[in-house]
């Protein structure tokens, strides 16, 4: 049998969480709006999507005869099949801490997170609280009630595969130091400046292209022929901090023609690639002519499991502004991968629609409805 190398990849699913507090003052004046009429919170953003809370003082269903208040959380921005966990908390204003909490975060969901199919889809409770009980409880104080809402948007990313790596050439430092010793040159390093640099008699040159920490890292490489320890220089173990510094170090290596340092930085950025950093690394690879790194970034970003999270990142908005030509290359990479999958499957995919479910008993229901009560059916 021929020798072969094992490959490894890992799919990681996690939630991006955010909370919003919605206060309703003048609760008694909101009553009588009629079933299906709601009060909306301000729009808030979690996980790259906009959300809004709808409170129905007279309930959402006419058949409940205004016996219950209803509360729903709705997707307020464009999106398809957005998967999320939710938590609704009605705050106990007596100070006793006996809040009314409905949460998905502290219990396993039999069918997994809820899926909101499109803008206007909502999840919540038609019978959130019996109105007569609410109005005599500690949840209302001075004609005011407070609700906290937490949304956890599910993100899935792909880590690896390991075959996406960049080979680093062997060090030539030992041979170079030996040649330096044999040449009997009186100094071990010379900076050559081309062009006008100001007064030829000055003994100091101010380097304005990079932060001192980046220039220090570059000098450490020149003396050791190794990629410097980022944590040692920055004093931080943050992956984001590490990636940011290596990106700037790559730019310095390109400016000062330190080819080995440039390749070391490419390899490090390849190892630390994720959905939040791939867009800025792709732009950097394009700017500094890093062909291998660019190809790996395109492949990573165009993977269906990663593309959605990449497009929601801050770096992607930067990519749209500074390197719009890369978007077409990303699209071509995605299309080539999608075409390969289609050829493997040999058949067309079919779609399905999810309809709102009307539960008679109190409980959560994911619906696609107009906030004022009109049901919407997707085909």
């Amino acid at each position: 049998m021929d020798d072969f190398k094992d490959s490894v990849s890992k799919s990681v699913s996690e939630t991006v969480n955010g909370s919003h507090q919605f206060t309703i003052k003048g609760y008694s004046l909101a009553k009588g709006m009629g079933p299906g009429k709601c009060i909306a919170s301000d729009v808030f953003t979690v996980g790259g999507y906009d959300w809004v809370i709808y409170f129905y003082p007279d309930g959402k269903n006419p058949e409940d005869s205004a016996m219950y208040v209803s509360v729903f959380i709705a997707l307020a921005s464009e999106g398809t099949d957005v998967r999320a966990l939710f938590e609704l908390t009605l705050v106990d204003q007596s100070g006793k801490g006996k809040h009314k909490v409905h949460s998905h975060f502290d219990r396993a969901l039999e069918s997994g997170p809820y899926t909101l199919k499109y803008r206007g889809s909502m999840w919540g409770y038609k019978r959130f609280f019996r109105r007569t009980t609410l109005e005599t409880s500690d949840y209302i104080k001075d004609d005011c009630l407070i609700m906290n809402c937490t949304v956890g948007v599910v993100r899935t990313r792909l880590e690896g595969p390991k075959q996406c790596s960049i080979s680093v050439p062997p060090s030539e430092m030992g041979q170079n130091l030996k040649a330096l010793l044999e040449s009997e040159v009186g100094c071990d390093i010379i900076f050559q400046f081309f062009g006008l640099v100001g007064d030829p008699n000055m003994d100091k040159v101010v380097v304005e292209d990079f932060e001192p920490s980046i220039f220090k890292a570059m000098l450490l490489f020149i003396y050791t022929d190794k990629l410097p320890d980022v944590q040692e220089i920055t004093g931080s173990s943050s992956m984001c901090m590490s990636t940011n510094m290596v990106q700037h170090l790559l730019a310095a290596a390109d400016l000062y023609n330190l080819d080995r340092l440039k390749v070391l930085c490419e390899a490090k950025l390849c190892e630390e690639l994720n959905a939040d950093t791939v867009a800025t690394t792709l732009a950097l690879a394009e700017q500094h002519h890093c062909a291998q790194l660019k190809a790996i970034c395109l492949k990573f970003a165009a993977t269906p499991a990663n593309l959605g999270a990449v497009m929601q990142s801050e770096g992607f908005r930067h990519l749209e502004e500074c390197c719009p030509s890369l978007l077409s290359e990303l699209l071509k990479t995605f299309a080539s991968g999608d075409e390969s999958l289609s050829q493997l499957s040999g058949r067309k995919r079919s779609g399905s629609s999810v309809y709102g479910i009307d539960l008679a008993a109190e409980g959560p229901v994911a619906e696609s409805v107009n906030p004022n009560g009109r049901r919407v059916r997707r085909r």
Side-chain angles (χ1 to χ4, degrees):
M1 294 181 63
D2 294 333
D3 293 337
F4 65 95
K5 293 183 179 180
D6 293 336
S7 61
V8 178
S9 63
K10 179 169 63 175
S11 177
V12 180
S13 294
E14 55 194 5
T15 59
V16 178
N17 301 334
S19 299
H20 181 81
Q21 185 176 89
F22 184 29
T23 301
I24 299 174
K25 292 186 177 181
Y27 163 79
S28 61
L29 299 177
K31 294 190 300 180
M33 296 176 63
K37 303 296 183 180
C38 67
I39 300 172
S41 71
D42 195 7
V43 175
F44 59 98
T45 302
V46 178
Y49 297 96
D50 292 339
W51 305 87
V52 66
I53 305 169
Y54 293 126
F55 177 75
Y56 298 79
D58 295 322
K60 192 170 182 296
N61 285 348
E63 55 265 32
D64 285 335
S65 303
M67 293 177 62
Y68 297 89
V69 297
S70 305
V71 181
F72 281 81
I73 305 168
L75 179 63
S77 60
E78 296 301 330
T80 56
D81 296 332
V82 180
R83 302 174 68 239
L85 300 176
F86 301 100
E87 180 176 281
L88 279 172
T89 301
L90 192 57
V91 177
D92 176 8
Q93 299 187 67
S94 68
K96 300 175 183 177
K98 296 182 179 180
H99 311 302
K100 180 178 176 65
V101 181
H102 294 275
S103 178
H104 301 153
F105 289 90
D106 56 359
R107 63 183 176 87
L109 294 174
E110 182 178 346
S111 58
Y114 286 93
T115 299
L116 303 179
K117 300 295 290 183
Y118 45 85
R119 181 176 184 176
S121 300
M122 56 173 63
W123 171 93
Y125 292 86
K126 293 179 180 178
R127 296 180 175 181
F128 183 71
F129 213 116
R130 184 177 289 271
R131 203 165 78 169
T132 54
T133 305
L134 173 65
E135 292 170 358
T136 58
S137 71
D138 290 327
Y139 300 115
I140 295 181
K141 181 180 180 181
D142 298 329
D143 204 26
C144 169
L145 61 86
I146 301 172
M147 287 183 292
N148 290 329
C149 167
T150 299
V151 179
V153 177
V154 178
R155 291 270 188 86
T156 301
R157 69 177 190 275
L158 183 65
E159 293 185 354
K162 294 299 183 181
Q163 62 265 28
C164 289
S165 60
I166 296 175
S167 60
V168 179
S171 170
E172 299 176 352
M173 180 61 73
Q175 186 65 33
N176 291 340
L177 288 175
K178 181 181 178 181
L180 182 64
L181 177 64
E182 292 174 346
S183 69
E184 298 183 1
V185 176
C187 58
D188 61 352
I189 186 168
I190 297 175
F191 286 94
Q192 295 179 342
F193 297 94
F194 299 93
L196 298 176
V197 293
D199 185 358
N201 298 318
M202 63 183 180
D203 59 356
K204 292 183 180 179
V205 176
V206 178
V207 179
E208 298 180 345
D209 302 289
F210 303 101
E211 294 291 331
S213 60
I214 303 301
F215 199 82
K216 177 183 177 181
M218 186 180 70
L219 288 179
L220 284 172
F221 164 78
I222 292 172
Y223 278 87
T224 65
D225 198 40
K226 296 180 181 179
L227 189 67
D229 187 334
V230 175
Q231 184 175 352
E232 180 181 336
I233 295 175
T234 64
S236 171
S237 59
S238 166
M239 178 69 73
C240 180
M241 180 76 74
S242 172
T243 298
N244 183 263
M245 179 175 173
V246 175
Q247 288 175 338
H248 284 83
L249 189 56
L250 186 150
D254 188 42
L255 178 64
Y256 290 98
N257 292 323
L258 299 172
D259 293 337
R260 176 174 163 79
L261 176 59
K262 183 177 177 180
V263 176
L264 285 169
C265 291
E266 289 184 64
K268 184 66 172 177
L269 291 172
C270 180
E271 293 174 2
E272 297 180 352
L273 211 59
N274 59 52
D276 291 325
T277 63
V278 65
T280 53
T281 300
L282 175 57
L284 186 76
E286 172 76 355
Q287 182 181 357
H288 295 282
H289 312 289
C290 306
Q292 294 183 82
L293 182 60
K294 175 182 175 181
I296 290 173
C297 287
L298 285 170
K299 181 178 179 181
F300 181 96
T303 302
N306 298 331
L307 186 57
V310 172
M311 294 180 68
Q312 296 296 330
S313 68
E314 291 292 334
F316 188 82
R317 286 189 280 273
H318 169 73
L319 188 68
E320 289 178 309
E321 295 173 1
C322 72
C323 302
S325 61
L326 286 175
L327 299 182
S328 61
E329 293 189 53
L330 180 59
L331 183 60
K332 290 178 182 177
T333 305
F334 176 81
S336 63
D338 190 61
E339 181 179 352
S340 299
L341 287 174
S342 299
Q343 291 174 353
L344 286 172
S345 65
R347 58 187 177 84
K348 294 182 178 179
R349 298 179 180 179
S350 61
S352 62
S353 298
V354 174
Y355 298 89
I357 303 173
D358 189 6
L359 298 181
E362 178 180 1
V365 52
E367 294 192 21
S368 297
V369 296
N370 180 284
N372 287 321
R374 181 181 177 183
R375 187 181 303 278
V376 179
R377 176 172 292 185
R378 298 279 289 188
R379 294 186 182 275

